[in-house]
Amino acid sequence: MRRHSRLALFGLLAWGAFFWLYPRVNPVARFGFSINRRQAVEIARQAAARFDIEVENWGMALDARIDAKTAYYLSKEGDKPGARLFSPVITSVKFTSPDKKRSFLVRLAADGRVLGFVRGEPESGVETAVEGAQIAAQSALRFLAGDQAPSFTLLGQPEKRDKTIEVKYEAARLRDASATPEARFVVRGPAVMEGALAPRYESSFSTEFSQRDNPLELVSVIAALIGFLLVMIGLTYYLVGSLSRQIKHRATLALFGLVALLAALLFIAGGRWEAEIVGGDSTLEAILGIAAQAIFLILPVIAAFWGAGYMLSLRKAPERTVTLDLLLKGNLLARPVAGSLFAGLVLGGAFNLIPYTVAASGLFTGAELFFRSDPAGWVSAAPFLSALDFITSGLLFGLLAVFGLLHPLAEAYISRPVITRGALWLTGTLFLSSSSFEASLPAALLGGALSMVFAEQVYRRFDLLAVLALGISSAIGLRALAMVFQPSVVVKVTGYGIVVALGLLILACLRISARGRELDLEKEIDLRRTEAAQHLRVRRAERERLLAEFSVAQKAQAQMLPVRPPDLPGLDVAAACRPAREVGGDLYDFVPLKDGRWGFVVADVSGKGVPAALYMTLTKGLLVSVACDHADPDRIMKEINRHLYRGGRRGVFVTLAFAVVDPETRTIHCVRAGHNPLLWRQTRKGRTIWLSPSGIGLGLAAERLFDRSIAVESIQLEPGDLFVLYSDGITEAMNSDGDEYGQERLSEVLSRSDALEAAETRDRVLNEVAAFAGSTPQHDDITLVVVRVRS
Amino acid sequence: MANPFRIHQSSQGDISIFKVEGYLDAHTAPEFERAIQAEIDAGRHRLIVDCEGLTYISSAGLGVFMGFIEEIREREGDIKICSLVPKVRQTFELLGFHQLYHILDSLPEAIQKFTDTPRWEG
């Protein structure tokens, strides 16, 4: 409680200082906006009457906006003669006929002077005489410039262009003052019009100033780019988090709903709506435009900065986001929630004071602060609602980006605190300086950096909710004071009303934070921490389970292979199976047949992973059991195919090379079911023969077709000869260039191995294939059975 | 991925033609499977797979052809394969596919084959 009293005292003093400093620093206080909605409409009606336009039952819409160019000019050259001819706030009143074909728009200065008007009439096809346009222009000049009209002189002849006639006047008095600005009065009328002359008038001025001089444009552009980048990063996180079910959408949607509700109030009752109509939009266009902004601007920003940031914060610092989350879940009257709100709201004055002190310090020439937002609310039917304009505040966007997303993101991924802080300050400074200053880059950067330091302190001592409340109260305060210092009674009183409302809100938060519902914040934080940890644990456990499954499958595959080759008289046999990274479907085996011969097999199941390995087990089982009853290789194949085709899944098949070896006679009868050819090296003749008897893969075709396809090839081995069965993992082993090892390389290495024993031959092949592939990952098992006839 | 898998689908009369390109392996096979399944679901059972642009086919890719052939042939249709590049042809032949399918040199020949021998008479 003592902490809160100290905070309240400090906050109040800062607000007071800000109130004192505001009119001394911010030129908005000198705008002199002295009319209100009712008066603006009355003046516009009188102007219409001067031109005999009956607007009694026409539709009406008002808008007021800051003419940025004039405002910027006045901030630099406000003391030049003629400056007061221009108004930084321009109020537009637009009347539209019920059939929407005619319109009359009047532009008013801050003090209610008519600055110009535009008359919209349907075109008729009759050409306007140049003289007629000149007469109309003179009459308009008299109306707008009043007793100053004689000081304007015609600038050359009226210019007739394609669709308009332009009559230009210049105020000679101001030119004599030999100082910018020049006042220029331009009348444009359509070249084609209805019977009666119906010109459009507008006053304009030309100065040598251009807003492009503003050095802060670049800072704004950089800040906007970073903002866009952050939104994209946040959205990616949000999507990934949604997919892995780490993100619960409820709080995000609640925040969006809250902001959308305020936006709807601001737009529909608070003047923005009328601004769209004045700008020329139809009602439908205005509705669609507003809805599109809500969905394409507000929703992504909230999802990115709050949704994704919240998820990230749970890992490291749930204590920074817990109160906002609680608030969004409806705990408005809980003590810790109100406490954070109070701290942020009450400190808004101190936060605003920072750039104002920099501007008032006198260290920076031209360091003026600008009220960038929309005074549309001042002339709206509900001026009080212009306080809601804070939702469009760039400052709030910046605070949410930096503390909502960037801070937890940096904490999660950058291990060195110095870099984390540096990145945050840099980004924060860019965001905060571009949203408060105009005209002086050093002042803006200093003010932005100091504001960032302050905001970070609030974030560290309190939390994200406090930082957002800080931004909200700062924005509301700025908007209220801009109104308080206008001479217009309605606007001034509304401004004070907003100040009082903000004060009451702060008091309410203070009260709730002391007397509100108890809520064990530590418990809530623990809850969130546990939940995040649990999620992590579940994911880890799932991963471990999968790995365990893989290792079981891999072990099973390894255990299916024979421990050692059979010891056969006269034959030297060696074999190997090198599984690829994934669990594969290769197999080799030596099966004793009932007639004393041996069946040697190398097989490969289509596909990969655990399903292929299971299919391999099935194949091995079939082979062993069929071999109990049959000894002919083609018969064995036919039986296996019959079972696989009937019982297996379509699309899964087994290719297999099978050789029935008679150790006594050294004859081999081999079959090939869709598998790579078998290799026979006739050592004495120095010749290599590929054996490729016909045969379809197992499990592909029904008996009738398969049985016809399968053929047996028989060979007679000589001493020293080599017989090899292998899988496509060897011939399709790939190097980094994408070349395959191929049959030719295999045949070549074997032709160099005539003097080697079976095991040595096997190892040489495996080594050469490994050397060929290098570090390129292989996707297929490598399997090889080598039979050497002893000399 | 340097050589992504793509399917261009067209039709000629009641024959659906799939022009496949790139790598057909375990990763891309499901896409091909869905495309064929969609044709069967639409009651179209005369399919040609034009493999002119197919640079690699793995065992899983070959499995796709097998997964549907019985059903298609039961419904009086067929899958005919054409324009294989040598390496892919070798894979098909190694496995015995030439004994299971009509494999033609060009697309026009494959279309003609549906007129001459609409059904597989294995």
Side-chain angles (χ1 to χ4, degrees):
Chain A
M1 198 58 226
R2 266 183 75 188
R3 189 187 183 196
H4 279 167
S5 335
R6 281 213 307 268
L7 210 59
L9 187 65
F10 174 70
L12 199 64
L13 284 175
W15 274 112
F18 176 56
F19 194 89
W20 180 81
L21 207 53
Y22 185 90
R24 285 161 179 80
V25 176
N26 199 325
V28 172
R30 301 193 292 272
F31 278 4
F33 189 82
S34 54
I35 50 173
N36 57 40
R37 182 183 177 90
R38 196 178 46 77
Q39 289 164 341
V41 171
E42 193 46 47
I43 296 166
R45 277 189 201 283
Q46 283 169 13
R50 282 285 296 269
F51 291 87
D52 293 330
I53 302 169
E54 182 51 61
V55 293
E56 199 50 52
N57 46 18
W58 285 21
M60 183 181 75
L62 275 81
D63 182 21
R65 52 185 61 198
I66 289 180
D67 176 8
K69 197 172 159 186
T70 309
Y72 175 61
Y73 161 70
L74 290 177
S75 80
K76 291 193 126 184
E77 310 271 345
D79 49 349
K80 289 276 167 70
R84 276 178 302 116
L85 267 182
F86 309 113
S87 170
V89 184
I90 293 181
T91 305
S92 302
V93 184
K94 187 182 188 181
F95 299 103
T96 313
S97 67
D99 62 2
K100 313 265 186 238
K101 283 187 178 148
R102 304 177 66 202
S103 66
F104 188 66
L105 187 150
V106 184
R107 293 209 177 92
L108 304 177
D111 59 4
R113 267 180 304 129
V114 177
L115 286 175
F117 45 86
V118 179
R119 188 175 165 178
E121 300 286 345
E123 289 186 0
S124 67
V126 181
E127 277 212 22
T128 315
V130 172
E131 298 75 32
Q134 205 169 326
I135 293 165
Q138 271 164 1
S139 127
L141 177 64
R142 273 198 300 281
F143 173 67
L144 292 177
D147 52 3
Q148 285 187 10
S151 68
F152 283 85
T153 53
L154 188 62
L155 257 184
Q157 282 303 304
E159 276 177 55
K160 191 163 183 176
R161 297 210 179 113
D162 184 24
K163 282 191 172 163
T164 58
I165 298 177
E166 209 166 79
V167 189
K168 287 182 185 166
Y169 294 90
E170 206 164 23
R173 184 170 60 87
L174 295 171
R175 274 167 74 79
D176 288 346
S178 72
T180 50
E182 308 165 342
R184 192 170 280 185
F185 178 77
V186 182
V187 180
R188 284 198 198 86
V192 176
M193 48 192 85
E194 213 164 42
L197 195 63
R200 297 152 24 119
Y201 306 103
E202 55 189 32
S203 77
S204 72
F205 76 107
S206 69
T207 76
E208 284 168 14
F209 285 95
S210 144
Q211 243 202 326
R212 265 169 294 167
D213 294 346
N214 189 346
L216 272 167
E217 287 289 297
L218 184 65
V219 178
S220 310
V221 170
I222 297 173
L225 279 177
I226 294 178
F228 177 76
L229 195 70
L230 279 175
V231 172
M232 288 299 128
I233 293 173
L235 277 183
T236 311
Y237 264 90
Y238 194 79
L239 290 179
V240 171
S242 304
L243 289 178
S244 63
R245 301 214 183 118
Q246 281 185 79
I247 283 195
K248 298 193 176 66
H249 304 283
R250 193 176 136 192
T252 306
L253 288 176
L255 188 56
F256 173 64
L258 196 66
V259 176
L261 183 73
L262 295 179
L265 266 176
L266 173 67
F267 274 93
I268 291 161
R272 291 290 179 98
W273 177 263
E274 288 186 61
E276 305 281 332
I277 306 285
V278 170
D281 278 359
S282 72
T283 313
L284 182 67
E285 282 169 337
I287 293 174
L288 289 179
I290 290 166
Q293 282 183 31
I295 293 167
F296 293 109
L297 291 177
I298 303 179
L299 187 58
V301 164
I302 286 176
F305 292 169
W306 161 246
Y310 177 69
M311 176 190 83
L312 285 165
S313 79
L314 286 183
R315 291 189 207 159
K316 294 253 170 165
E319 67 275 7
R320 302 250 181 267
T321 49
V322 62
T323 54
L324 180 52
D325 187 49
L326 286 169
L327 175 67
L328 293 173
K329 286 173 180 158
N331 299 287
L332 187 61
L333 299 177
R335 283 190 193 187
V337 175
S340 287
L341 276 174
F342 165 75
L345 292 173
V346 83
L347 287 174
F351 188 59
N352 280 341
L353 203 54
I354 296 168
Y356 277 73
T357 311
V358 171
S361 67
L363 295 173
F364 308 96
T365 47
E368 296 266 13
L369 287 137
F370 250 87
F371 175 64
R372 276 179 181 252
S373 65
D374 212 331
W378 299 358
V379 292
S380 74
F384 192 78
L385 288 179
S386 50
L388 297 180
D389 198 23
F390 74 81
I391 59 167
T392 63
S393 152
L395 189 88
L396 203 57
F397 175 91
L399 288 175
L400 189 57
V402 171
F403 295 103
L405 177 66
L406 196 58
H407 208 290
L409 192 67
E411 270 189 342
Y413 290 100
I414 304 177
S415 52
R416 294 178 59 187
V418 182
I419 300 178
T420 309
R421 286 202 129 175
L424 284 171
W425 278 359
L426 202 64
T427 320
T429 301
L430 278 174
F431 276 129
L432 300 188
S433 56
S434 69
S435 63
S436 58
F437 270 86
E438 203 122 24
S440 167
L441 187 61
L445 292 178
L446 179 63
L450 293 176
S451 301
M452 180 59 203
V453 171
F454 187 84
E456 217 212 342
Q457 283 304 313
V458 172
Y459 181 73
R460 287 190 183 276
R461 285 166 197 233
F462 301 95
D463 56 13
L464 181 62
L465 179 59
V467 169
L468 295 184
L470 181 79
I472 290 171
S473 106
S474 144
I476 293 180
L478 283 168
R479 280 151 183 76
L481 286 202
M483 296 172 87
V484 161
F485 289 103
Q486 304 308 321
S488 165
V489 176
V490 171
V491 175
K492 185 189 284 289
V493 167
T494 308
Y496 277 118
I498 295 171
V499 171
V500 171
L502 182 61
L504 288 176
L505 182 65
I506 293 174
L507 281 180
C509 288
L510 180 63
R511 174 91 181 161
I512 298 169
S513 74
R515 300 275 167 85
R517 189 160 57 77
E518 288 281 3
L519 198 145
D520 190 346
L521 203 58
E522 289 306 318
K523 205 180 98 194
E524 293 286 338
I525 294 168
D526 275 349
L527 212 67
R528 281 161 178 74
R529 205 170 262 141
T530 319
E531 201 177 312
Q534 202 157 6
H535 192 91
L536 207 64
R537 219 174 309 138
V538 167
R539 279 205 311 185
R540 227 174 256 158
E542 233 164 59
R543 213 178 114 79
E544 270 162 21
R545 190 178 54 77
L546 272 177
L547 282 177
E549 259 176 35
F550 269 123
S551 84
V552 167
Q554 241 162 358
K555 263 185 217 156
Q557 192 189 4
Q559 279 168 0
M560 279 196 308
L561 302 174
V563 182
R564 69 175 73 83
D567 198 6
L568 302 176
L571 293 181
D572 178 18
V573 184
C577 176
R578 297 265 160 89
R581 256 184 325 166
E582 302 165 71
V583 184
D586 267 16
L587 174 85
Y588 73 86
D589 205 358
F590 311 98
V591 190
L593 303 175
K594 60 176 184 176
D595 59 3
R597 295 186 296 173
W598 284 78
F600 288 14
V601 64
V602 165
D604 179 3
V605 177
S606 69
K608 284 195 181 57
V610 177
L614 291 176
Y615 224 81
M616 198 73 259
T617 341
L618 173 66
T619 310
K620 169 161 171 142
L622 282 172
L623 180 68
V624 171
S625 69
V626 171
C628 291
D629 298 329
H630 305 281
D632 300 331
D634 53 335
R635 187 65 200 271
I636 292 174
M637 288 303 108
K638 288 171 188 170
E639 287 298 316
I640 296 178
N641 179 65
R642 193 161 60 83
H643 289 296
L644 279 181
Y645 187 76
R646 283 187 189 165
R649 203 158 56 87
R650 290 292 162 268
V652 182
F653 56 88
V654 180
T655 72
L656 184 148
F658 187 67
V660 172
V661 180
D662 186 339
E664 277 176 29
T665 59
R666 295 198 300 260
T667 52
I668 288 183
H669 302 281
C670 57
V671 288
R672 189 189 62 88
H675 200 81
N676 300 69
L678 302 85
L679 181 142
W680 177 24
R681 170 77 184 159
Q682 294 177 293
T683 307
R684 283 185 186 165
K685 292 181 183 157
R687 194 164 71 173
T688 303
I689 294 171
W690 294 97
L691 304 170
S692 194
S694 137
I696 306 174
L698 295 164
L700 286 173
E703 290 113 285
R704 198 165 49 93
L705 193 59
F706 180 86
D707 293 0
R708 259 191 296 158
S709 82
I710 198 90
V712 182
E713 194 162 343
S714 305
I715 58 171
Q716 175 69 50
L717 299 179
E718 300 293 330
D721 278 6
L722 182 76
F723 184 72
V724 177
L725 300 92
Y726 65 92
S727 73
D728 58 6
I730 290 185
T731 44
E732 290 181 13
M734 218 173 254
N735 67 8
S736 56
D737 295 335
D739 295 331
E740 290 183 354
Y741 188 70
Q743 285 181 217
E744 300 207 343
R745 285 193 182 84
L746 177 61
S747 145
E748 190 269 335
V749 59
L750 291 174
S751 70
R752 281 190 280 116
S753 313
D754 288 344
L756 300 183
E757 287 185 8
E760 293 166 336
T761 312
R762 173 197 66 193
D763 293 343
R764 177 178 274 187
V765 171
L766 291 176
N767 289 340
E768 296 223 349
V769 169
F772 174 82
S775 58
T776 311
Q778 301 301 314
H779 298 291
D780 263 338
D781 297 353
I782 288 178
T783 306
L784 174 75
V785 170
V786 177
V787 182
R788 174 79 71 186
V789 183
R790 293 203 168 97
S791 305
Chain B
M1 186 118 175
N3 212 337
F5 179 66
R6 267 201 292 267
I7 309 172
H8 304 277
Q9 214 173 326
S10 61
S11 63
Q12 185 155 342
D14 60 348
I15 303 172
S16 298
I17 301 163
F18 295 92
K19 210 169 160 48
V20 289
E21 274 176 26
Y23 271 55
L24 181 54
D25 57 19
H27 300 289
T28 55
E31 187 189 343
F32 188 32
E33 235 164 44
R34 279 194 294 274
I36 294 185
Q37 186 64 55
E39 288 304 290
I40 296 176
D41 292 345
R44 298 175 66 88
H45 304 117
R46 286 150 82 91
L47 314 179
I48 293 177
V49 182
D50 182 345
C51 301
E52 199 180 351
L54 190 69
T55 43
Y56 174 80
I57 186 161
S58 78
S59 58
L62 291 162
V64 178
F65 287 90
M66 294 317 302
F68 296 103
I69 192 63
E70 244 178 294
E71 185 182 356
I72 285 181
R73 286 181 182 159
E74 269 167 25
R75 298 183 187 186
E76 316 266 296
D78 198 11
I79 300 179
K80 302 202 192 294
I81 300 166
C82 70
S83 316
L84 297 170
V85 300
K87 190 176 144 29
V88 175
R89 173 179 286 270
Q90 199 188 353
T91 311
F92 272 89
E93 285 178 357
L94 202 59
L95 195 64
F97 261 41
H98 53 299
Q99 298 175 52
L100 298 170
Y101 293 90
H102 289 134
I103 296 181
L104 291 309
D105 287 336
S106 68
L107 183 60
E109 282 174 65
I111 294 168
Q112 183 61 36
K113 194 75 184 171
F114 264 116
T115 320
D116 301 344
T117 324
R119 293 191 56 195
W120 176 260
E121 306 289 349

